[in-house]
Amino acid sequence: KCHFKHVLSRRTAAHLLPLSAFVGSPSIAAVVMAELVVAVPPLLRADQAEQRYNEAVQAAVEKCAADTAGRTCFICMDGAAAEGLVRGCACRGGAGYAHLSCLARGAQVAVERSADGLGFERWHKCGLCEQRYHGDVKCALGWACWKTYVGRPETDEVRVHAMAFLGNGLSAAKYHDEALSVKEALLSTYRRVGAPEGHMLGQMGEIATSYHMLGRFETSNRLYRDVYSGRLRLDGEGHEETLLAATNYATALLALGRYEEGKSLLRKTIPASQRTLGESNEITLGLRCNYALALYEDPDATLDDLSEAVTTLEDARRIARRVFGGTHPHTTGIDGALQNARAALRALSSKATEDACSRLREEIARLKAENAELRGEQMDTDEDEEAEDSMEDVA
């Protein structure tokens, strides 16, 4: 499956305003799941943060071990530290290797120095390649972030961002049950303080993602549909958040086998994303990859559909390799989808050839039968003519 089929999480809320600014403002309870009040899950307790962080760092270091052997941290320039190195972004060659603790310290400093909240991006985005972290590295950074800010008040802006980032990090490392509990806890926080509609919609989308990854497709589809409708009304069809909501809604439709609905949505949305975000943006890539999936996974796909899917994925792979590199999950996911699309095209082409050959054999057999019948009729005619000639001779 293409990596984008597994749903692009919305950007970590680095751009959000502090929740304290919205206490008492109208919420969208009609859109949000009714009266969702979630107890704080045990994994979010402050006394759990250090242990969970250490476990996540160990997992990330082990996952990156083959790639980081003999490398040096680009931040502290120490390659002999006991912690071990990681690299979980889009850096290539010898760039991007670092200790998790060095990345965390750099992000913390960026937040402290930032007056507009944009410094939080350093928690989830590499300062070298400017692409987001993924997989176990993102999960470990999520725990580092939560450990850093868990002691702040519930409505503190940075603490809220940290909880959101932790939920996304757990999803990135495929801890979907834990991710769901964190995301529901954050939505409950939003409800308690009367957060604005954009916050609510974003967090509903995150919860839908976890339901989707847990195989609860009907539930995720309903949530994604509501989020997409809300985004259309709130932001308009060309807004980045609306386009991301469309990507996820299409993903849910495909998971339920509703291919025509998915293709209709994607055909309408892809041009808007190309105009607004550009061909190289990951949301645009996600939309195009989902469209290719809708084409080649459809049981009623034609040869033209499969050829279009292959062409679309070949172009998407070219862009992904240039932007993210060959080993990034986006790129490897597209590679896998392209292999599947090509295999489907070969299979249908072979079947079409076999069917054509079978029809040709049937036609040849039919013609032979007709010829034989005609020869038989001709022989009967010749015999009749000979009999008539013989009778005339006798006469």
Side-chain angles (χ1 to χ4, degrees):
K1 298 290 185 180
C2 178
H3 177 74
F4 292 98
K5 183 71 178 289
H6 298 308
V7 189
L8 280 163
S9 292
R10 66 188 285 270
R11 281 171 168 70
T12 301
H15 60 287
L16 299 182
L17 295 173
L19 288 182
S20 56
F22 300 103
V23 173
S25 65
S27 63
I28 53 165
V31 180
V32 181
M33 292 168 286
E35 299 304 324
L36 177 62
V37 178
V38 179
V40 177
L43 80 164
L44 288 178
R45 294 204 318 253
D47 60 358
Q48 295 290 309
E50 184 71 32
Q51 179 183 346
R52 297 300 297 263
Y53 164 72
N54 290 333
E55 293 171 353
V57 170
Q58 182 179 355
V61 168
E62 291 175 357
K63 191 69 173 289
C64 298
D67 185 41
T68 59
R71 299 293 186 173
T72 300
C73 175
F74 79 90
I75 298 173
C76 70
M77 302 306 294
D78 183 1
E83 178 184 330
L85 299 172
V86 298
R87 183 169 74 168
C89 53
C91 284
R92 284 160 268 187
Y97 299 101
H99 301 114
L100 226 307
S101 59
C102 291
L103 294 174
R105 281 196 298 272
Q108 186 176 358
V109 169
V111 171
E112 291 170 354
R113 292 178 177 176
S114 173
D116 54 9
L118 295 179
F120 196 87
E121 281 198 348
R122 197 52 60 221
W123 278 105
H124 61 93
K125 184 178 290 187
C126 173
L128 299 179
C129 67
E130 292 298 324
Q131 298 297 334
R132 289 199 295 276
Y133 296 107
H134 54 79
D136 290 272
V137 174
K138 182 173 182 176
C139 182
L141 282 169
W143 279 113
C145 185
W146 180 244
K147 180 172 72 78
T148 301
Y149 305 115
V150 63
R152 294 193 177 194
E154 181 183 46
T155 58
D156 179 84
E157 177 185 12
V158 176
R159 186 185 188 275
V160 170
H161 297 345
M163 189 186 295
F165 183 41
L166 175 60
N168 287 338
L170 289 166
S171 291
K174 301 181 181 179
Y175 298 117
H176 299 303
D177 284 308
E178 292 186 338
L180 179 59
S181 69
V182 172
K183 293 172 182 180
E184 287 179 337
L186 182 54
L187 181 58
S188 182
T189 298
Y190 284 167
R191 283 181 54 79
R192 284 196 300 275
V193 301
E197 185 172 0
H199 289 58
M200 296 286 201
L201 289 171
Q203 199 56 28
M204 285 173 62
E206 293 290 356
I207 290 171
T209 294
S210 290
Y211 279 133
H212 184 93
M213 300 310 295
L214 290 167
R216 298 168 64 176
F217 298 134
E218 290 287 354
T219 302
S220 68
N221 180 67
R222 288 194 296 271
L223 285 172
Y224 279 142
R225 180 196 60 208
D226 291 346
V227 171
Y228 177 59
S229 298
R231 285 295 181 191
L232 279 173
R233 174 175 46 78
L234 183 67
D235 301 316
E237 65 178 13
H239 193 278
E240 183 176 14
E241 293 290 350
T242 306
L243 295 169
L244 181 53
T247 306
N248 290 335
Y249 182 31
T251 296
L253 290 171
L254 301 188
L256 293 172
R258 294 161 60 175
Y259 297 106
E260 290 305 319
E261 291 178 70
K263 284 185 278 191
S264 176
L265 173 62
L266 291 163
R267 289 189 186 109
K268 177 177 66 175
T269 310
I270 289 172
S273 186
Q274 290 170 325
R275 289 192 305 270
T276 304
L277 305 178
E279 292 284 357
S280 299
N281 183 274
E282 62 183 319
I283 294 177
T284 304
L285 285 174
L287 288 164
R288 296 185 66 199
C289 288
N290 275 341
Y291 180 63
L293 288 166
L295 289 171
Y296 83 73
E297 288 186 347
D298 189 341
D300 297 324
T302 65
L303 281 174
D304 287 341
D305 291 334
L306 297 179
S307 295
E308 184 179 1
V310 168
T311 301
T312 299
L313 289 168
E314 286 175 341
D315 188 53
R317 182 180 65 169
R318 175 185 60 79
I319 295 172
R321 285 183 176 276
R322 173 173 54 80
V323 176
F324 302 110
T327 62
H328 193 280
H330 288 351
T331 307
T332 57
I334 294 172
D335 285 339
L338 179 57
Q339 291 178 11
N340 292 341
R342 285 172 171 169
L345 179 59
R346 286 194 299 270
L348 190 59
S349 298
S350 177
K351 184 177 184 302
T353 301
E354 291 176 2
D355 290 346
C357 290
S358 178
R359 289 194 297 271
L360 181 59
R361 286 192 292 269
E362 291 174 358
E363 181 67 13
I364 291 172
R366 184 184 66 79
L367 291 173
K368 284 183 177 179
E370 288 181 357
N371 290 336
E373 185 177 347
L374 289 172
R375 285 197 298 272
E377 292 175 356
Q378 184 63 45
M379 290 177 65
D380 290 342
T381 301
D382 292 344
E383 289 176 354
D384 291 342
E385 290 178 352
E386 289 177 2
E388 291 176 359
D389 292 342
S390 298
M391 291 177 65
E392 290 176 358
D393 290 342
V394 170

